[in-house]
Amino acid sequence: MTKTAVLLPAYNEEVSIASMIILSENYADEVIVVDDGSNDRTAQIAEKTNATVIKHEKNKGKGAALKTGFDYVKNKDFDILVTIDADGQHNPSEIPQVIQPIVDKKADIVNGSRYINGGSKNTPTYRRVGQTVLDSATNLASGVKLTDSQSGFRAFSRYSLDHFNFDPDGFGIESDMIIEAVNNNLKICEVEITVRYDVYTTTDNPILQGLSVLMRIFEIMRFNRPLYFYGITGIVVIFFGILILLTLNVSGYTTNMYLTAMGLCILVVGIILILSGIITDTHSTLNRKK
């Protein structure tokens, strides 16, 4: 019989934590709450349920909360670990469909997606635009195509648990885990889930949060997919170099040696970036083969 644990990383979720635990208990052999230094009653409420509660003394970020939960589960005899956000946006009754590909041995990791069939109608427009950017960047960095790279509703086989470093501690952990999974040749699939936005969620600025995640993805891409990172950057730089030279030509300032030299230097930098991408990517490919 398959034994399943449900992990709820939580930070200031006193409004929803009890209901998420109770609903998750219907589909789990154990529910684990990692209270990430909440300054409300999240931990106290969770401790009044049957859940296992692990507390961080201070807020360390979602990545750190997941690491604590994964370390706990690795010392138990569970077959599957499900992670689900504690804010009430996800529906625990969908846990069976999320874990099914692992039960059927068709996947090591299952990503719950809100957008498999074109997108959730309930998703606010600004969120969907941001999600599309992050999905595209994550897919480019990892080499796989997912429709919801930032989903917090996922299932992991026991085998997959040892393949994650949980860096960074906070924003960007969802993309990091996908990239690490691909680098470790883990099989990933997606199943459809629902989501609700009429519940209390984080007060973090979504634009700043999205930019933080995007910068982290680009940082990973620099090492994981150097041809794309340096190549795209080089193309952008070359574009601006050509734009400067064309502007000088149209405006009749081609005799200005300083501006012309600046345009040419920018072109050279762009070419160097592209060549660096090719060389680094070739080196990385050879190392992976070895």
Side-chain angles (χ1 to χ4, degrees):
M1 183 177 178
T2 303
K3 293 191 66 175
T4 302
V6 171
L7 171 60
L8 298 168
Y11 177 64
N12 291 346
E13 303 292 2
E14 65 175 17
V15 174
S16 58
I17 191 65
S19 61
M20 289 299 293
I21 292 170
I22 293 169
L23 292 171
S24 296
E25 285 176 337
N26 294 322
Y27 311 97
D29 295 279
E30 184 175 357
V31 177
I32 303 113
V33 175
V34 177
D35 176 60
D36 189 31
S38 297
N39 51 36
D40 65 359
R41 296 172 295 177
T42 297
Q44 295 94 309
I45 293 172
E47 287 171 339
K48 293 184 181 298
T49 69
N50 294 321
T52 298
V53 181
I54 305 171
K55 292 186 284 187
H56 289 170
E57 292 302 316
K58 61 180 181 179
N59 180 244
K60 298 180 180 180
K62 186 177 181 181
L66 288 172
K67 184 180 187 303
T68 297
F70 272 57
D71 288 343
Y72 173 86
V73 171
K74 282 189 284 188
N75 293 319
K76 303 292 182 177
D77 61 345
F78 293 109
D79 302 298
I80 298 174
L81 171 63
V82 175
T83 61
I84 185 167
D85 292 339
D87 58 12
Q89 286 192 326
H90 296 137
N91 184 357
S93 68
E94 295 173 338
I95 289 175
Q97 69 195 52
V98 173
I99 69 173
Q100 194 59 48
I102 296 178
V103 174
D104 294 338
K105 300 187 184 304
K106 294 180 178 179
D108 299 304
I109 299 170
V110 181
N111 190 60
S113 173
R114 297 160 283 184
Y115 310 118
I116 286 180
N117 294 317
S120 170
K121 295 180 181 179
N122 297 325
T123 307
T125 302
Y126 75 92
R127 281 182 177 268
R128 191 63 191 111
V129 171
Q131 284 282 353
T132 300
V133 172
L134 296 178
D135 288 344
S136 299
T138 302
N139 291 342
L140 193 60
S142 66
V144 297
K145 186 176 182 180
L146 296 178
T147 59
D148 193 359
S149 66
Q150 304 307 302
S151 175
F153 195 173
R154 290 173 175 169
F156 301 83
S157 69
R158 183 170 188 83
Y159 166 74
S160 71
L161 300 184
D162 292 320
H163 293 85
F164 302 102
N165 294 320
F166 297 101
D167 179 31
D169 291 337
F171 299 141
I173 189 62
E174 279 85 5
S175 294
D176 264 48
M177 294 180 79
I178 292 297
I179 294 167
E180 285 185 306
V182 173
N183 288 343
N184 286 285
N185 298 313
L186 299 176
K187 293 182 290 184
I188 307 172
C189 75
E190 286 191 306
V191 298
E192 186 175 15
I193 60 168
T194 57
V195 65
R196 53 185 296 186
Y197 291 100
D198 59 339
V199 294
Y200 171 82
T201 58
T202 178
T203 56
D204 293 320
N205 186 303
I207 296 176
L208 293 179
Q209 181 178 340
L211 287 174
S212 176
V213 174
L214 190 60
M215 291 302 100
R216 174 59 183 170
I217 295 171
F218 283 152
E219 181 184 346
I220 298 170
M221 191 186 297
R222 183 161 62 96
F223 298 100
N224 198 58
R225 308 273 281 185
L227 183 59
Y228 286 100
F229 178 82
Y230 290 105
I232 292 173
T233 305
I235 289 171
V236 171
V237 172
I238 287 173
F239 170 78
F240 279 108
I242 293 174
L243 188 63
I244 290 172
L245 293 175
L246 287 176
T247 302
L248 291 175
N249 185 61
V250 171
S251 59
Y253 285 98
T254 51
T255 55
N256 189 316
M257 297 301 296
Y258 293 106
L259 293 177
T260 301
M262 182 179 69
L264 291 173
C265 285
I266 291 174
L267 280 176
V268 171
V269 170
I271 293 170
I272 291 173
L273 284 170
I274 292 174
L275 291 175
S276 298
I278 294 172
I279 294 170
T280 307
D281 186 71
T282 302
H283 181 69
S284 298
T285 302
L286 290 173
N287 283 339
R288 283 194 293 269
K289 288 181 178 179
K290 290 180 181 179

